[in-house]
């Protein structure tokens, strides 16, 4: 039942965060991060439920696999939206940082994540 609930949650999260994004990488990333903040405010103000599920049952291979798949899909979608293939780890770090910092800083976490994302984009453009 937990796995099914998390699967449903993943679909809702992906639809909210990645649906109908702006075309430009900068605007897409700003929108993604703002939507993660919206998700945190309305759905889960205490951090990632996927991580919480694994923490509650650390021996569950199915939960670990679901967590890994969820985070990989989020990272891939963010990299595609930002037109930054190969930057999945960096983008996931920003997204995870936002999710974990939200309970402490709220909207300030979104602003900080957006700043970091702009810096990452700028650096990527300079190295092309």
């Amino acid at each position: 039942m937990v796995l099914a609930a998390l699967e449903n949650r993943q679909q809702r999260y992906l639809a909210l965060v990645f649906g109908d994004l702006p075309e430009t990488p900068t605007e897409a990333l700003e929108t993604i991060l703002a939507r993660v903040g919206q998700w945190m405010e309305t759905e889960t103000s205490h951090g990632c439920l996927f991580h919480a599920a694994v923490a509650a049952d650390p021996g569950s291979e199915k939960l670990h696999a679901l967590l890994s798949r969820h985070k990989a899909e989020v990272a891939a979608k963010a990299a595609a939206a930002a037109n930054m293939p190969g930057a999945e780890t960096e983008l996931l770090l920003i997204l995870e940082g936002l999710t974990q910092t939200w309970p402490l800083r709220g909207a300030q976490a979104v602003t900080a994540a957006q700043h970091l994302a702009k810096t990452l984009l700028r650096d990527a453009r300079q190295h092309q």
Side-chain angles (χ1 to χ4, degrees), residues 29 33 84 91 94 112-122:
L29 270 180
L33 294 166
M84 294 181 70
L91 291 166
I94 292 170
Q114 288 171 329
H115 173 73
L116 291 171
K118 286 179 190 175
T119 301
L120 181 64
L121 277 169
R122 187 174 49 246

Side-chain angles (χ1 to χ4, degrees), residues 98-122:
L98 170 54
T99 302
Q100 295 305 313
T101 305
W102 176 267
L104 301 171
R105 303 287 183 185
Q108 289 177 331
V110 173
T111 302
Q114 288 171 329
H115 173 73
L116 291 171
K118 286 179 190 175
T119 301
L120 181 64
L121 277 169
R122 187 174 49 246

Side-chain angles (χ1 to χ4, degrees), residues 41-85:
E41 185 174 358
T42 60
E43 298 286 333
T44 182
S45 62
H46 300 292
C48 177
L49 193 60
F50 289 85
H51 283 291
V54 170
D57 188 3
S60 172
E61 290 181 22
K62 288 181 180 181
L63 285 175
H64 277 279
L66 182 58
L67 171 65
S68 293
R69 184 171 51 86
H70 170 68
K71 298 304 179 179
E73 190 168 355
V74 167
K77 286 183 175 292
N83 194 26
M84 294 181 70

